[in-house]
Amino acid sequence: MIIAVDGPAASGKGTVARALARHYGLPHLDTGLLYRAIAHNVSREELNPEREADAVAASKFPDSLLDDEALRSDEIGRLASIVSAHPLVRAALLHRQKRFAARPGGAVLDGRDIGTVIAPNAQVKLFVRATPTIRAKRRHAELRARGSTISLDRVLADIRARDLRDTGRSTAPLVMAADAILLDTSFLSIDASVQKAIELVDHRRAHRLPAG
Ligand code: C5P
């Protein structure tokens, strides 16, 4: 079974995807990390994220980089949303993601275009969302816990800018697949979000109509 989990930044999609992978015993790929790895290379090599050729030149990285905590910073997330708009960057990461999705026992992938581009035939597609204000509050609390002094307004502005870039780009924009199930986590705790996601997956598996 392939489970595709898409949604905007800080919607809870990563937490939900990880929990689903654990619950169903499937391997999990956080595809945002791939774009973050390229952003990290761009930053380290002082390249221009807006230039497609620069971003492509930074698109080779070892798997070990994906475990680097530095990838999780907000600045790298911001740069990732810039480099990810380049079609050639997306093309450079396409096969790796498709190969992961095609693993024999199935897989859980989370990102922005999993249900639309990477795994359009996924048995289950979830689109996880929450209001921008709630996402900003969550991200703000996370950053504060890591010692940051950033203001809530700034985090909200960053989230809105990222949403605009991710939904507005012409290649693989963030959009809910026609056959995805919506999971709004705005007023759900983490546990309740995960519980709801498992119910939705079980329901879709039990009632899925044959493809075609
Ligand atoms: O999910 P995360 O915040 O780690 O993603 C960082 C950025 O990478 C996103 O803002 C988005 O622009 C990009 N991304 C993407 N397609 C994916 C996953 C992430 O364009 N499948």
Side-chain angles (χ1 to χ4, degrees), residues 23-78:
H23 183 81
Y24 296 104
L26 294 170
H28 166 232
L29 180 64
D30 170 355
T31 63
L33 283 177
L34 307 177
Y35 295 93
R36 286 171 179 264
I38 295 178
H40 178 266
N41 284 348
V42 163
S43 164
R44 201 193 44 202
E45 288 159 34
E46 296 183 8
L47 299 167
N48 179 357
E50 309 275 356
R51 275 196 71 220
E52 185 162 39
D54 278 20
V56 170
S59 65
K60 297 250 181 315
F61 54 85
D63 279 353
S64 58
L65 179 58
L66 301 177
D67 297 323
D68 193 329
E69 270 300 306
L71 260 48
R72 302 188 181 271
S73 78
D74 248 31
E75 175 55 11
I76 293 297
R78 191 184 69 80

Side-chain angles (χ1 to χ4, degrees), residues 101-171:
R103 284 187 173 204
V108 180
L109 291 89
D110 75 83
R112 303 291 187 290
D113 62 343
I114 308 303
T116 51
V117 176
I118 304 299
N121 296 325
Q123 283 81 354
V124 186
K125 300 178 185 178
L126 296 183
F127 192 86
V128 184
R129 76 166 185 206
T131 68
T133 312
I134 286 175
R135 288 190 282 132
K137 282 187 182 155
R138 287 177 187 162
R139 180 54 56 86
H140 186 241
E142 233 174 79
L143 293 170
R144 295 295 280 238
R146 279 199 255 141
S148 164
T149 55
I150 192 167
S151 72
L152 179 59
D153 283 352
R154 171 73 200 285
V155 176
L156 181 58
D158 286 350
I159 282 208
R160 288 195 194 280
R162 193 113 80 87
D163 283 356
L164 216 61
R165 269 199 298 274
D166 289 351
T167 54
R169 66 180 177 227
S170 47
T171 308

